[in-house]
Amino acid sequence: MLLTFTDRHSGTPVEYMTWGLPKIDAGTYAEMGDMVVLGGYPSAGKTALAVSMAYHQAKNKRVGFYSLETNQYKLADRLMANLAGIEMPTIKRNEITGEQWQRVRKLELVEASGMSAQDIQADSLAHRYEIVYIDYLQLIEPETRRVNRTEQVSAISRDLQKLAHGTGRLVVA
């Protein structure tokens, strides 16, 4: 065990996932194959934060953002307003200028309403996403009907952990 530790830590520095936020980048050591859970109060901006981080990671990785709560068009509008610095009324009125279009990058947003963890796994593997975002965990359909919601969410979490660890993908729920 000590030899493995020495081998792993005496070579090249490990590259950890970056999130586009310096304080989080400096204190978070997530790697491919990990599962990360974002938590917070209702309406605290978890989706906006997740879309922002996914956008940052899409510069170097293939990212799929599975939304069970918000349709892909509303997510794209939020993303462009937040990241490209385009006012929401400009987006809603279709008044985006050529210069503003230059700031827009590609990120695949997937409407996932009604999907189970296994459905998300199959779809993410088919699309070869390296990073999978899921918004949000408690809306994923359980594969089997369990006695209570806690057991269902636990089973869903285990399935997402298997997706991350078993395939080497980063999963953010």
Side-chain angles (χ1 to χ4, degrees):
M1 183 102 125
L2 186 55
L3 290 176
T4 332
F5 177 85
T6 305
D7 290 344
R8 287 184 298 118
H9 295 287
S10 61
T12 20
V14 178
E15 287 189 37
Y16 294 103
M17 190 55 52
T18 61
W19 307 91
L21 301 164
K23 286 187 178 183
I24 292 176
D25 291 346
T28 306
Y29 303 101
E31 300 175 86
M32 298 303 286
D34 287 347
M35 180 177 158
V36 176
V37 177
L38 296 177
Y41 293 108
S43 299
K46 295 178 298 294
T47 298
L49 176 64
V51 169
S52 175
M53 291 188 300
Y55 174 81
H56 167 77
Q57 293 166 336
K59 294 173 185 172
N60 299 313
K61 302 281 187 187
R62 190 164 166 79
V63 179
F65 192 102
Y66 290 81
S67 177
L68 291 99
E69 184 176 38
T70 308
N71 77 42
Q72 63 185 357
Y73 304 112
K74 288 182 182 180
L75 281 174
D77 290 353
R78 282 186 193 175
L79 175 69
M80 293 309 115
N82 185 27
L83 298 174
I86 303 171
E87 297 289 328
M88 188 59 82
T90 301
I91 292 170
K92 292 298 185 186
R93 290 191 303 260
N94 293 328
E95 297 172 346
I96 301 171
T97 67
E99 184 272 325
Q100 287 170 325
W101 278 115
Q102 294 301 317
R103 293 185 273 171
V104 175
R105 293 195 43 110
K106 185 178 178 182
L107 168 67
E108 294 187 38
L109 305 173
V110 182
E111 284 187 49
S113 181
M115 290 180 96
S116 68
Q118 286 79 11
D119 294 335
I120 291 170
Q121 177 173 338
D123 189 74
S124 67
L125 293 173
H127 286 95
R128 298 185 177 141
Y129 297 133
E130 297 168 279
I131 301 174
V132 176
Y133 277 79
I134 300 161
D135 181 37
Y136 75 94
L137 177 70
Q138 292 186 2
L139 291 180
I140 295 174
E141 286 292 321
E143 280 294 312
T144 58
R145 299 290 172 214
R146 299 200 183 258
V147 176
N148 63 50
R149 188 66 182 143
T150 303
E151 289 179 5
Q152 290 175 338
V153 173
S154 294
I156 291 166
S157 296
R158 281 192 302 277
D159 288 341
L160 295 177
Q161 178 63 39
K162 286 183 212 172
L163 169 61
H165 189 70
T167 65
R169 284 161 172 74
L170 176 66
V171 175
V172 181

